[in-house]
Amino acid sequence: MARLGVDYYPEQWPRARWEQDADLMAEAGISIVRIAEFAWSELEPSPGTFAFDWLDEAIDLLAARGLAIVLGTPTAAPPAWLVEAHPEILPRRADRRLHGFGHRRHYCPNQPAMHAATRRIVAALGEHYGKDERIEAWQIDNELMGRCTCDACLARFHDWLRGRYGSIDALNESWGTVFWSQRYDDFAQVPLPELGQVPPYGFGREAPSPSLALDYRRFTSDSHIAFLRLQVGELRPRIGPQQRITTNLMGFKFAEIDYHALSAEIDVVAWDNYPLLDPTGRWSSPALAADAMRGLKRAPFWVLEQQTGAVGWEVLRTPRRGQMRLHSYQAIAHGAELVSYFRWRTARFGTEQHWYGVLDAHGRPGRRYHELAELGRELEQVAGALDGAEPVSVAALLHDYDSRFALQIQPTNPSLGYEETVQRHYEAVRRLGVGVDVLAPTAPLSEYRLVVAPNLYVVDEALAAALHGYVEAGGTLVLAPRAGVKDRCNVVPELPFPALLAGLAGVEVVDVASVLDADPVQFAGVDGGPDGAFHGWYEQVEPAADARALAIYEDGEFAETPAIVSHPVGDGRVLYVAGAADQATLDRLYRAVAPEAGIAVAELPDGVECIQLRGAETLLVLLNHADEERDVPLDGGRRDLLAGVDHDRSIRLAPFGVAVLAPVRAAIGAEK
Ligand code: GAL
Ligand code: ZN
């Protein structure tokens, strides 16, 4: 059963209060506490002098009430004495501004002095707590992120390039440095790119080589991963085998670190879930994040920070009543084994005074505390059924960091935004009640009936071959515009787009149109294809002899040419969508395509999410994200395990309501 936890900062409260906190947690059914991830100055008040007594005491009190501990390494907040002795650890951001003391994350992951101080505190914590059975896991640092352009980073970048290219000639060749006289004689001449802000769709004053910029992105990602690895290296030999190592990632939206690469270094994937941080508030946003996190190891994950109350540092946004529970069920249904609420008690001081926790700053149990306790009781009720149940996914969505980084560097057209495009395709499939695994393009795909690749901008031969194999064996692949536009060095291949994928897609792009603030261009479905519209980005494609149009442009420059093309390959087929499609268009497209791929689809009212889980029995979790009642049709009798009521033809969900339904006879969504 999913366990509930809280993020607790005993160092921010008087000792006299700790016992009461621990009692209240235990009474609310909390079973795990994350602790100490910013407490460096309290754990090591001066260089090499450790003060673990307070943490021992806090852990004693918590553990005495059966609470397990996730212990943070405190490196996200280097203390003043360290910055004073080694000001060089402060990171220089991409615009060359120094990120000073007084906030957090004020360190460069490549600075030797930071490494030494990190090794010392992490080793000391490992020595002290590594064999402590009450510690269940370690959280390394906190939300690794941040770019740095300091001299240590520059030197490391040169080493990194040497490792990747071997010789400067190979780099020159791969990057095309003949352009603008950028040929290097030595790795030492390569600069770090100026990457303040990508100017919105104009010519940047500082427009670095796209190849240099992409490698800098990769290098930044690798630098954080190396810093994580350094800490794992200190912990691993000191900890018992029952202690797991993780770090709190940031879901799907965050795009500075290749989480596919990072997740190989940790034992369990964990992330922070703040649904209200998406200003659109759409339900598919935390759903996509959860599926992306589950896809990293194709395994259940932990949520180490779950939104509780209002979010915001300066300006607040409050969840509606019922949303804390709803978002918790959403996380659990998508694969969370642990949901830990940020934070136990609202801070009285510091930057996050207005980031509301389970308790208010005054410390008396109120509405959120009681809701959490109620949720714990409910979860116990459905524990038997939910135990070991995992989401059923017949579709996969490919998420590729190289493509994402490269598109950040050259956004091309606002309608092609990586995150937004992925989100729209994902939502269109999920609206059908179909489960989606969000995976690296290198993941094995044969078990999926449908593979969606909304943004495969960077492609190499191995990937093209793997996708070919998938389709040939019977899979359905959806490709969208700008597939295959770059190679791994961010250089354009000498082939018509989608270049290495052209044979598979059965199209060649013969012309493109990029329009800002465009009116939609309509297209009409043929042969069962969907009607729809593109906005901003349009391609004119020439289909191969064995391909056929599923839709034809009705107006615009490419009127009467194909807007969507279907290409049979072996036992499967590829769809190529030749423009930036809006949500309604994608909804219609997948509603047409999924059944043809052998996937059963559901009719779900607006705002209702349906997740199918397979455990001891097959369950449906229905989540009403709307603030109005919704009637959901059922295709057979089901029992709502939460309400303990049977339903025949349909179920009425309250605003923000949840139902866990068993058993399922004719399942919504096909079996894998
Ligand atoms: C997270 C972070 C927490 C806290 C929270 C609310 O990103 O890990 O430490 O800052 O946001 O702001
Ligand atoms: Zn640096």
Side-chain angles (χ1 to χ4, degrees), residues 82 91 114 142 215 225 276 388 395 441 465 485 488-489 511 564 606 664:
L82 178 55
M114 181 63 188
N142 188 85
D215 273 339
I225 295 171
L276 258 64
V485 166
R488 293 272 168 220
C489 293
D511 202 359
I564 302 177
D606 210 33
V664 186

Side-chain angles (χ1 to χ4, degrees), residues 98-110:
L98 207 62
H99 175 151
F101 189 79
H103 198 73
R104 63 176 166 182
R105 302 217 56 75
H106 45 279
Y107 72 85
C108 160
N110 287 317

Side-chain angles (χ1 to χ4, degrees), residues 9 34 37-38 104 139 142-143 145 248 250 272 274 277 305 312-313 342 352 355:
Y9 301 91
R34 185 195 65 173
E37 82 280 9
F38 291 111
R104 63 176 166 182
Q139 174 188 303
N142 188 85
E143 295 190 337
M145 66 170 129
N248 52 340
M250 282 173 284
D272 297 341
Y274 292 96
L277 286 183
E305 296 180 18
W313 287 0
F342 187 87
E352 292 182 339
W355 205 286

Side-chain angles (χ1 to χ4, degrees), residues 422-493:
V422 166
Q423 187 77 50
R424 266 191 243 138
H425 281 259
Y426 172 85
E427 182 167 319
V429 178
R430 289 288 303 125
R431 277 189 182 175
L432 305 170
V434 175
V436 179
D437 284 349
V438 178
L439 301 174
T442 48
L445 298 175
S446 58
E447 70 187 73
Y448 300 98
R449 299 202 173 166
L450 172 68
V451 170
V452 180
N455 245 330
L456 223 46
Y457 183 64
V458 173
V459 171
D460 59 23
E461 274 165 16
L463 176 56
L467 292 175
H468 203 279
Y470 164 73
V471 179
E472 201 152 50
T476 298
L477 172 68
V478 177
L479 294 172
R482 306 303 277 162
V485 166
K486 295 295 186 94
D487 71 11
R488 293 272 168 220
C489 293
N490 215 1
V491 166
V492 176

